[in-house]
Amino acid sequence: MTSAGYRGASLMSPTADGSLLALETALGLTPTGPVEQPHFFTGLLVRPDVAAAGLLAVADVAASRYFDAGLMQRLASLDPVVTASGDRLRFESFSACNGVHARLDLLGNGIASGEVGFGTTNVDVNQPLRTALASVGREALVHLSVGADELRVSTPEATHEERKVAMPDRWVRGFAEVPALASGLAHAASLTGSAVVRFLAGLPKRQPGPSLYLVPGPAGLRQSARPVPGAVHLAGAGRLAAAARIARFATSLDAFSSDSGASGWVLHLPGARLTLLLSPEPHRGFSGEGGLLRALSADTAEGAAAQLLEFLAWEPVVDPIALAELTGLSLEGVHGGLAVLATSGKVGFDVVEQSWFHRELPLAERVERDNPRLVAARKLVSAGAVGRDGDRWVVTVDDHQHWVRGVGEAASCTCLWHAKHRGGRGPCKHVLAVAITTADPVG
């Protein structure tokens, strides 16, 4: 079924010299403002079979629920988000359980002809299109069209009154959390050639599957059921299932890990990349990580975000050092501003290039709505609930008190939230209140 946000259904149809893969777009944001069904690209693909399989992998993730699969039938399939950055197209989605993020980057060397525009919108990936994409071969001549040539401008008022494509809250919050998680990942291992296919084929197929520790070695990645120094934590091995769709095209695979237990998996493809980011545990969605809260707690973060916004311009690579020079902000201020922009989906992070990129979701600002701990912390500060007690801080909430020691990542609190999560889901409201009070650069 086609959403009311699309003029028609995406389809693949024969032409005189091959096939036309026409992806219908919904309401989008462009350099000229909101546009209904924007046109971002028309041209030929170098490897249409790779692009088709990659788009299917992104759609697979959107249609999957890796945790609590029994609820899958209650959920509607969701349409990927596409960002045109002038030199590439990025297609993104989240799993229904919000614990897997997929992104296909169709790079410049994967585009045979045509110019890429600028902007972000949803694209329709329906079941008939999926069937057609699955049959695309290497020798096929495929013209890709992302959006129709005709543009219809949408006023800000109309955009506010009727958002054409309903994006679930968990997706929006996932778009906010994923950049913070991705920027904290470190490269851990690489596989090349046939080793990529063997590794993916050897993983358990059931979902979400067991959590494994993968030890890099001369023969590839060895599986271990227990933590080993230098191992990559793969939380829910079945959550890499989408990679199997495109493994046969992969020239190499890079694994990224972090102390949080999250991981990143990048398949390098002819003219493209597929990136899968996995949350620290199968039952944890990205929308609950709270990784942005420390940077958002700085009073200057929102002002910095406003300064940065005019310099982003859908750049495929955002350089914080260059932004600091352009705006006069400190590097710390730039990172705080980028954190605010991430809360409304305005920036993402590429683990391969180790850089931010600009994207715009057609949604209203959501900093306070999506960060209730930050709102609660600011209320505590406004109420004068934060005080000093020797080498610790005391935060009074109603008729009881909590004590905070340390600063930044090392801060601890006596509250139940900190006892339960130990900072693994971001700081509690009491730690945030202390950070705001001291104006401590906790980001």
PDB file of all heavy atoms in Angstrom, residues 107-130:
ATOM      1  N   LEU A 107      28.131   5.700  -3.298  1.00  0.00           N
ATOM      2  CA  LEU A 107      29.220   6.659  -3.425  1.00  0.00           C
ATOM      3  C   LEU A 107      29.383   7.158  -4.858  1.00  0.00           C
ATOM      4  O   LEU A 107      28.810   6.600  -5.808  1.00  0.00           O
ATOM      5  CB  LEU A 107      30.515   6.021  -2.937  1.00  0.00           C
ATOM      6  CG  LEU A 107      30.465   5.463  -1.509  1.00  0.00           C
ATOM      7  CD1 LEU A 107      31.726   4.679  -1.186  1.00  0.00           C
ATOM      8  CD2 LEU A 107      30.251   6.588  -0.495  1.00  0.00           C
ATOM      9  N   GLY A 108      30.205   8.178  -5.004  1.00  0.00           N
ATOM     10  CA  GLY A 108      30.406   8.778  -6.313  1.00  0.00           C
ATOM     11  C   GLY A 108      30.925   7.807  -7.353  1.00  0.00           C
ATOM     12  O   GLY A 108      30.522   7.868  -8.520  1.00  0.00           O
ATOM     13  N   ASN A 109      31.817   6.888  -6.939  1.00  0.00           N
ATOM     14  CA  ASN A 109      32.349   5.934  -7.920  1.00  0.00           C
ATOM     15  C   ASN A 109      31.379   4.803  -8.227  1.00  0.00           C
ATOM     16  O   ASN A 109      31.695   3.912  -9.018  1.00  0.00           O
ATOM     17  CB  ASN A 109      33.693   5.366  -7.452  1.00  0.00           C
ATOM     18  CG  ASN A 109      33.593   4.612  -6.141  1.00  0.00           C
ATOM     19  OD1 ASN A 109      32.552   4.629  -5.476  1.00  0.00           O
ATOM     20  ND2 ASN A 109      34.665   3.957  -5.761  1.00  0.00           N
ATOM     21  N   GLY A 110      30.188   4.837  -7.626  1.00  0.00           N
ATOM     22  CA  GLY A 110      29.133   3.887  -7.964  1.00  0.00           C
ATOM     23  C   GLY A 110      28.099   4.490  -8.901  1.00  0.00           C
ATOM     24  O   GLY A 110      27.145   3.826  -9.291  1.00  0.00           O
ATOM     25  N   ILE A 111      28.291   5.771  -9.233  1.00  0.00           N
ATOM     26  CA  ILE A 111      27.362   6.488 -10.103  1.00  0.00           C
ATOM     27  C   ILE A 111      28.049   6.730 -11.448  1.00  0.00           C
ATOM     28  O   ILE A 111      29.080   7.408 -11.520  1.00  0.00           O
ATOM     29  CB  ILE A 111      26.933   7.820  -9.464  1.00  0.00           C
ATOM     30  CG1 ILE A 111      26.183   7.554  -8.148  1.00  0.00           C
ATOM     31  CG2 ILE A 111      26.062   8.623 -10.422  1.00  0.00           C
ATOM     32  CD1 ILE A 111      25.875   8.801  -7.348  1.00  0.00           C
ATOM     33  N   ALA A 112      27.486   6.175 -12.513  1.00  0.00           N
ATOM     34  CA  ALA A 112      28.100   6.295 -13.835  1.00  0.00           C
ATOM     35  C   ALA A 112      27.822   7.654 -14.464  1.00  0.00           C
ATOM     36  O   ALA A 112      28.666   8.205 -15.169  1.00  0.00           O
ATOM     37  CB  ALA A 112      27.601   5.180 -14.752  1.00  0.00           C
ATOM     38  N   SER A 113      26.644   8.185 -14.231  1.00  0.00           N
ATOM     39  CA  SER A 113      26.290   9.495 -14.773  1.00  0.00           C
ATOM     40  C   SER A 113      25.170  10.101 -13.946  1.00  0.00           C
ATOM     41  O   SER A 113      24.445   9.391 -13.258  1.00  0.00           O
ATOM     42  CB  SER A 113      25.838   9.368 -16.239  1.00  0.00           C
ATOM     43  OG  SER A 113      24.631   8.622 -16.334  1.00  0.00           O
ATOM     44  N   GLY A 114      25.044  11.409 -14.029  1.00  0.00           N
ATOM     45  CA  GLY A 114      24.000  12.090 -13.280  1.00  0.00           C
ATOM     46  C   GLY A 114      24.570  12.877 -12.115  1.00  0.00           C
ATOM     47  O   GLY A 114      25.635  12.552 -11.586  1.00  0.00           O
ATOM     48  N   GLU A 115      23.870  13.921 -11.725  1.00  0.00           N
ATOM     49  CA  GLU A 115      24.284  14.768 -10.615  1.00  0.00           C
ATOM     50  C   GLU A 115      23.377  14.538  -9.410  1.00  0.00           C
ATOM     51  O   GLU A 115      22.165  14.449  -9.547  1.00  0.00           O
ATOM     52  CB  GLU A 115      24.233  16.245 -11.015  1.00  0.00           C
ATOM     53  CG  GLU A 115      25.251  16.618 -12.084  1.00  0.00           C
ATOM     54  CD  GLU A 115      25.254  18.108 -12.372  1.00  0.00           C
ATOM     55  OE1 GLU A 115      24.483  18.837 -11.707  1.00  0.00           O
ATOM     56  OE2 GLU A 115      26.017  18.536 -13.249  1.00  0.00           O
ATOM     57  N   VAL A 116      23.993  14.456  -8.232  1.00  0.00           N
ATOM     58  CA  VAL A 116      23.257  14.262  -6.983  1.00  0.00           C
ATOM     59  C   VAL A 116      22.889  15.626  -6.411  1.00  0.00           C
ATOM     60  O   VAL A 116      23.743  16.521  -6.327  1.00  0.00           O
ATOM     61  CB  VAL A 116      24.097  13.466  -5.966  1.00  0.00           C
ATOM     62  CG1 VAL A 116      23.311  13.274  -4.664  1.00  0.00           C
ATOM     63  CG2 VAL A 116      24.512  12.122  -6.542  1.00  0.00           C
ATOM     64  N   GLY A 117      21.637  15.772  -6.017  1.00  0.00           N
ATOM     65  CA  GLY A 117      21.190  17.026  -5.430  1.00  0.00           C
ATOM     66  C   GLY A 117      21.479  17.098  -3.942  1.00  0.00           C
ATOM     67  O   GLY A 117      22.381  16.420  -3.423  1.00  0.00           O
ATOM     68  N   PHE A 118      20.668  17.892  -3.224  1.00  0.00           N
ATOM     69  CA  PHE A 118      20.860  18.091  -1.798  1.00  0.00           C
ATOM     70  C   PHE A 118      19.508  18.042  -1.092  1.00  0.00           C
ATOM     71  O   PHE A 118      18.556  18.691  -1.529  1.00  0.00           O
ATOM     72  CB  PHE A 118      21.528  19.446  -1.523  1.00  0.00           C
ATOM     73  CG  PHE A 118      22.911  19.573  -2.103  1.00  0.00           C
ATOM     74  CD1 PHE A 118      23.080  20.053  -3.387  1.00  0.00           C
ATOM     75  CD2 PHE A 118      24.027  19.203  -1.367  1.00  0.00           C
ATOM     76  CE1 PHE A 118      24.345  20.176  -3.934  1.00  0.00           C
ATOM     77  CE2 PHE A 118      25.296  19.314  -1.906  1.00  0.00           C
ATOM     78  CZ  PHE A 118      25.462  19.802  -3.192  1.00  0.00           C
ATOM     79  N   GLY A 119      19.428  17.299  -0.007  1.00  0.00           N
ATOM     80  CA  GLY A 119      18.207  17.255   0.779  1.00  0.00           C
ATOM     81  C   GLY A 119      17.959  15.904   1.398  1.00  0.00           C
ATOM     82  O   GLY A 119      18.743  14.967   1.222  1.00  0.00           O
ATOM     83  N   THR A 120      16.873  15.787   2.150  1.00  0.00           N
ATOM     84  CA  THR A 120      16.517  14.559   2.858  1.00  0.00           C
ATOM     85  C   THR A 120      15.009  14.326   2.771  1.00  0.00           C
ATOM     86  O   THR A 120      14.229  15.269   2.898  1.00  0.00           O
ATOM     87  CB  THR A 120      16.915  14.642   4.353  1.00  0.00           C
ATOM     88  OG1 THR A 120      18.282  14.978   4.468  1.00  0.00           O
ATOM     89  CG2 THR A 120      16.664  13.306   5.054  1.00  0.00           C
ATOM     90  N   THR A 121      14.623  13.078   2.570  1.00  0.00           N
ATOM     91  CA  THR A 121      13.208  12.712   2.558  1.00  0.00           C
ATOM     92  C   THR A 121      13.085  11.205   2.773  1.00  0.00           C
ATOM     93  O   THR A 121      14.083  10.504   2.933  1.00  0.00           O
ATOM     94  CB  THR A 121      12.534  13.116   1.227  1.00  0.00           C
ATOM     95  OG1 THR A 121      11.126  12.882   1.316  1.00  0.00           O
ATOM     96  CG2 THR A 121      13.098  12.321   0.063  1.00  0.00           C
ATOM     97  N   ASN A 122      11.845  10.708   2.786  1.00  0.00           N
ATOM     98  CA  ASN A 122      11.594   9.261   2.790  1.00  0.00           C
ATOM     99  C   ASN A 122      11.426   8.775   1.361  1.00  0.00           C
ATOM    100  O   ASN A 122      11.022   9.539   0.484  1.00  0.00           O
ATOM    101  CB  ASN A 122      10.317   8.924   3.564  1.00  0.00           C
ATOM    102  CG  ASN A 122      10.447   9.174   5.041  1.00  0.00           C
ATOM    103  OD1 ASN A 122      10.264  10.298   5.498  1.00  0.00           O
ATOM    104  ND2 ASN A 122      10.752   8.127   5.796  1.00  0.00           N
ATOM    105  N   VAL A 123      11.720   7.490   1.124  1.00  0.00           N
ATOM    106  CA  VAL A 123      11.451   6.891  -0.183  1.00  0.00           C
ATOM    107  C   VAL A 123      10.577   5.653   0.014  1.00  0.00           C
ATOM    108  O   VAL A 123      10.719   4.920   0.997  1.00  0.00           O
ATOM    109  CB  VAL A 123      12.737   6.504  -0.934  1.00  0.00           C
ATOM    110  CG1 VAL A 123      13.471   7.741  -1.399  1.00  0.00           C
ATOM    111  CG2 VAL A 123      13.641   5.624  -0.096  1.00  0.00           C
ATOM    112  N   ASP A 124       9.693   5.455  -0.933  1.00  0.00           N
ATOM    113  CA  ASP A 124       8.772   4.320  -0.894  1.00  0.00           C
ATOM    114  C   ASP A 124       9.486   3.055  -1.373  1.00  0.00           C
ATOM    115  O   ASP A 124       9.979   3.004  -2.502  1.00  0.00           O
ATOM    116  CB  ASP A 124       7.572   4.623  -1.796  1.00  0.00           C
ATOM    117  CG  ASP A 124       6.652   3.420  -1.975  1.00  0.00           C
ATOM    118  OD1 ASP A 124       6.314   2.793  -0.950  1.00  0.00           O
ATOM    119  OD2 ASP A 124       6.297   3.117  -3.124  1.00  0.00           O
ATOM    120  N   VAL A 125       9.565   2.040  -0.516  1.00  0.00           N
ATOM    121  CA  VAL A 125      10.101   0.734  -0.909  1.00  0.00           C
ATOM    122  C   VAL A 125       9.011  -0.294  -0.625  1.00  0.00           C
ATOM    123  O   VAL A 125       8.882  -0.797   0.499  1.00  0.00           O
ATOM    124  CB  VAL A 125      11.397   0.391  -0.164  1.00  0.00           C
ATOM    125  CG1 VAL A 125      11.924  -0.972  -0.610  1.00  0.00           C
ATOM    126  CG2 VAL A 125      12.465   1.452  -0.423  1.00  0.00           C
ATOM    127  N   ASN A 126       8.192  -0.566  -1.625  1.00  0.00           N
ATOM    128  CA  ASN A 126       7.038  -1.444  -1.456  1.00  0.00           C
ATOM    129  C   ASN A 126       7.385  -2.875  -1.848  1.00  0.00           C
ATOM    130  O   ASN A 126       8.470  -3.148  -2.384  1.00  0.00           O
ATOM    131  CB  ASN A 126       5.868  -0.911  -2.275  1.00  0.00           C
ATOM    132  CG  ASN A 126       6.276  -0.666  -3.723  1.00  0.00           C
ATOM    133  OD1 ASN A 126       6.611  -1.603  -4.453  1.00  0.00           O
ATOM    134  ND2 ASN A 126       6.273   0.604  -4.142  1.00  0.00           N
ATOM    135  N   GLN A 127       6.466  -3.796  -1.600  1.00  0.00           N
ATOM    136  CA  GLN A 127       6.750  -5.206  -1.856  1.00  0.00           C
ATOM    137  C   GLN A 127       6.967  -5.514  -3.337  1.00  0.00           C
ATOM    138  O   GLN A 127       7.915  -6.240  -3.678  1.00  0.00           O
ATOM    139  CB  GLN A 127       5.632  -6.089  -1.295  1.00  0.00           C
ATOM    140  CG  GLN A 127       5.943  -7.581  -1.356  1.00  0.00           C
ATOM    141  CD  GLN A 127       7.252  -7.936  -0.662  1.00  0.00           C
ATOM    142  OE1 GLN A 127       7.480  -7.554   0.476  1.00  0.00           O
ATOM    143  NE2 GLN A 127       8.135  -8.651  -1.355  1.00  0.00           N
ATOM    144  N   PRO A 128       6.165  -4.998  -4.275  1.00  0.00           N
ATOM    145  CA  PRO A 128       6.461  -5.258  -5.693  1.00  0.00           C
ATOM    146  C   PRO A 128       7.838  -4.753  -6.101  1.00  0.00           C
ATOM    147  O   PRO A 128       8.536  -5.391  -6.896  1.00  0.00           O
ATOM    148  CB  PRO A 128       5.343  -4.505  -6.426  1.00  0.00           C
ATOM    149  CG  PRO A 128       4.215  -4.460  -5.443  1.00  0.00           C
ATOM    150  CD  PRO A 128       4.868  -4.300  -4.105  1.00  0.00           C
ATOM    151  N   LEU A 129       8.258  -3.602  -5.541  1.00  0.00           N
ATOM    152  CA  LEU A 129       9.587  -3.091  -5.863  1.00  0.00           C
ATOM    153  C   LEU A 129      10.668  -4.014  -5.309  1.00  0.00           C
ATOM    154  O   LEU A 129      11.676  -4.283  -5.974  1.00  0.00           O
ATOM    155  CB  LEU A 129       9.764  -1.681  -5.296  1.00  0.00           C
ATOM    156  CG  LEU A 129      11.136  -1.060  -5.560  1.00  0.00           C
ATOM    157  CD1 LEU A 129      11.339  -0.800  -7.041  1.00  0.00           C
ATOM    158  CD2 LEU A 129      11.329   0.224  -4.759  1.00  0.00           C
ATOM    159  N   ARG A 130      10.466  -4.513  -4.095  1.00  0.00           N
ATOM    160  CA  ARG A 130      11.435  -5.439  -3.506  1.00  0.00           C
ATOM    161  C   ARG A 130      11.609  -6.673  -4.405  1.00  0.00           C
ATOM    162  O   ARG A 130      12.731  -7.142  -4.623  1.00  0.00           O
ATOM    163  CB  ARG A 130      10.981  -5.868  -2.105  1.00  0.00           C
ATOM    164  CG  ARG A 130      11.097  -4.764  -1.056  1.00  0.00           C
ATOM    165  CD  ARG A 130      10.432  -5.196   0.244  1.00  0.00           C
ATOM    166  NE  ARG A 130      11.072  -6.377   0.792  1.00  0.00           N
ATOM    167  CZ  ARG A 130      12.039  -6.375   1.700  1.00  0.00           C
ATOM    168  NH1 ARG A 130      12.474  -5.220   2.185  1.00  0.00           N
ATOM    169  NH2 ARG A 130      12.559  -7.490   2.148  1.00  0.00           N
TER     170      ARG A 130
END
